[in-house]
Amino acid sequence: MKVAIIGAGASGLFLGNLLKLNNIDFTIFNNGKVGRKILASGNGRCNIGNTNLDSSKYHNNPLANKLIKNKDKVFNLFKEMKIYLKEDSEGRLYPISESSQSILNIFTKNINNIVDLKVEKIDKRNNKYVINDKYDGFDKVVIAAGSISSVEDTNIYNYLNNLDLKFNEFKPSLVGFIVKERVKAISGVRCKCNVSLYNDNKLIHSEDGEVIFKDDGISGICIMNLSSYYQHLNNINKPHIRIDLLKNNKYESLESVINPKLLEYINKNDIDPYNMVLSIKDTYGFKNSQVSKGGVDISSLNDNLSLKSDNNIYFSGEIIDVDGVCGGYNLFFAFLCAYKIYEDLKWNIKLMG
Ligand SMILES: Cc1cc2nc3c(=O)[nH]c(=O)nc-3n(C[C@H](O)[C@H](O)[C@H](O)COP(=O)(O)OP(=O)(O)OC[C@H]3O[C@@H](n4cnc5c(N)ncnc54)[C@H](O)[C@@H]3O)c2cc1C
């Protein structure tokens, strides 16, 4: 069996390693820098997973729910690959080196068949798949091509047009918000607080974290998490964020509690420090986002992640319409997909005798 993998990111590289361990023939086709998002992840420290893994971290997506059952198998494979992890106080897992480069080195050291190529065409001839009219003889194709978040060339999915599948438009997620209020005066200020997303006057999600004010909006991990809930809203109506700068604590004076620039701003604008309301104009764009909501709809896929319309073509990782909050969940989803496909390919080989 010969497998073509499109994409040398977290999912494609992990799958390549699993196929290598089992002597399954494969070629990876990748456009641009290998493992670019692995390197960028976790601020260069690679937040590779989380001990609090459950489907709620993926907006209760049923596919994530099924794949999570294999989490221990993925962790065991990390051990086999001699990837040693450490956990922070919020269950986030990092390599002990705290370096994304060490994960990329491990993922690439046994893989010598990555072709630098932008895949633009996949054809089927004589029951085999041909990539860009040039590379042929593939029995299976795994599309692990990620999303358009944080990429320069976004015109990378034309080959999907020939496939019978439902593709949900990408939207930037894990990203900051542009707000209607003028916040330039406090640009650069950071504060630890409680943030809540409201839509249609209903509370959607709330959490504690650090907010970073920008020239025209807000960011920070807790805000990026709110964006993830925002992109899952069906009807957007007067969306806004309420910030409790004091996390419900009582103080006689705020002078030593709130950043002086921010204190001056809230006093000047008569803002309640327990309820600073910022109206959402939009999110920032794909360039600033860590993941995309959208991609191949899970209704187009079988449980083994192959296409219902062609069970020799699989989808893996972020290109599937499953996205998680910050904390290692998105990289881990990419690994869970790769593991599922690897199991299926092994089973196929057994069947072929
Ligand atoms: C700045 C940043 C920080 C992040 N931090 C974290 C974190 O700490 N923890 C976490 O869990 N997640 C994090 N993420 C998200 C995580 O990196 C992604 O969800 C994950 O890398 C997706 O893996 P993937 O293999 O599905 O896709 P990708 O890693 O995006 O890989 C896809 C590959 O396919 C290639 N490709 C695309 N189209 C084609 C084509 N037509 N032909 C050939 N090749 C193609 C791309 O060039 C790319 O190399 C972060 C993302 C960013 C941008």
Side-chain angles (χ1 to χ4, degrees), residues 160-229:
L160 294 183
N161 294 337
N162 295 337
L163 302 177
D164 179 10
L165 54 81
K166 183 174 174 213
F167 196 93
N168 300 322
E169 190 195 346
F170 280 134
K171 293 175 183 174
S173 187
L174 300 190
V175 68
F177 288 105
I178 304 170
V179 300
K180 292 186 183 159
E181 290 74 11
R182 295 158 76 94
V183 289
K184 198 165 181 181
I186 44 173
S187 180
V189 170
R190 291 167 177 257
C191 79
K192 300 225 164 86
C193 48
N194 172 269
V195 293
S196 305
L197 172 68
Y198 282 79
N199 186 52
D200 221 359
N201 277 326
K202 280 199 279 289
L203 173 65
I204 305 298
H205 181 72
S206 180
E207 65 180 64
D208 288 350
E210 187 180 55
V211 168
I212 305 163
F213 291 93
K214 320 274 271 182
D215 280 3
D216 56 352
I218 45 174
S219 192
I221 289 177
C222 57
I223 294 297
M224 291 200 284
N225 282 341
L226 294 193
S227 77
S228 169
Y229 288 86

Side-chain angles (χ1 to χ4, degrees), residues 165 203 240 298 340:
L165 54 81
L203 173 65
H240 61 274
I298 60 170
K340 186 76 193 168

